[in-house]
Amino acid sequence: MPDSFLGLSPRERSQILRTLGPQLGRVPGVLEKDVWVCWVLQTLFNMPDRLPMAFKGGTSLSKVFGAISRFSEDVDVTLDFRGLNEDFDPFAPSVSKSRLKKFGDELKLRVREHVRDVAAPWFRESFATEFGEESGSIEIGGENGDELRIRYPVVSDSVGYLRESVLIEFGGRNTTEPNDEHVVRPDIAPHLPDLDFPNPQVTVLSPARTFWEKATLIHVECQRAEARSTAERLSRHWYDLAKLADLEIGKQALEQRELLVAVVRLKKIFYDSGHARYDDCLDGKFRLVPNELSRTILQDDFERMIDAGMFIDVPPPFESILERLRELEATINR
């Protein structure tokens, strides 16, 4: 049986990453975190008593579909709201806004309970069994207790922008369909055939649905009069959508208008706000280009990502990304 890469000594892992980094044109810390992302996914989808869930977001676009040329460092997971509560239909015509708010709060509570009572104990047990209790830490976080941060034993030099932990963000106000099964591997695994790596099979949300989820997220951000406080780490969504727009994934998403309708319908139920203007997404008023203030913040964030070695190849200038999204905006609105 081959040795496990994560079972090697810190010195051995560090030497391998320092050797492979220049060969692959990648930052060693990014290669290291990529292995841990795969370990997190393997542990997550092997979790006993887990609820119906799907892996989605930028990391799925990168690791599963190879659709974006950037390293996506966290794990975004949807717990299907129907698996959290099968007895209530939020789309029923007679449901009041106050009842929908109460239902949304109930879902948040159940996600928090699942993270606290199922996911966190499982990750703590798995981490301690495989690496020892003192090797890292598992922490519950997020405004609603819906995040799990896995701090792993780092053997590479700090990158700065890169967080030396893997964050799992659990969401319960969404669906897991359409989806498919895929196997995920670390980027360095093909270059080290004599070593064993995490090799999880995961349920992944359709990339076409991810396309529309990112597009509607950007639309909402473009409606803000002022950039929100966390806007400094949002430029990745503009980059991702511009990349998808040029791929078959984006072309298929544009043909699957029913997915946009489904995403808007669900977001109006669970994520509506005074500035969101979700109906505009279906009425020829989709917005993908931010105002000048947000553009400056996003541009700065994008440059920081480049400096941290978060991209696998040379990314386009941020202005080119915005120009591509200006074209996409016009196409959607037609």
Side-chain angles (χ1 to χ4, degrees), residues 40-58:
V40 165
L41 286 169
Q42 179 170 280
T43 305
L44 183 66
F45 280 87
N46 285 338
M47 183 168 64
D49 303 321
R50 66 177 178 87
L51 294 171
M53 64 173 62
F55 174 38
K56 68 170 191 173

Side-chain angles (χ1 to χ4, degrees), residues 212 215-216 218-219 223 260 264 280-288 329 332-333:
W212 287 119
T216 49
I218 290 173
H219 168 82
Q223 303 295 336
L260 170 59
V264 168
D280 285 1
C281 297
L282 305 176
D283 293 339
K285 302 171 189 173
F286 218 117
R287 284 189 60 190
L288 298 176
E329 180 185 279
I332 294 172
N333 287 333

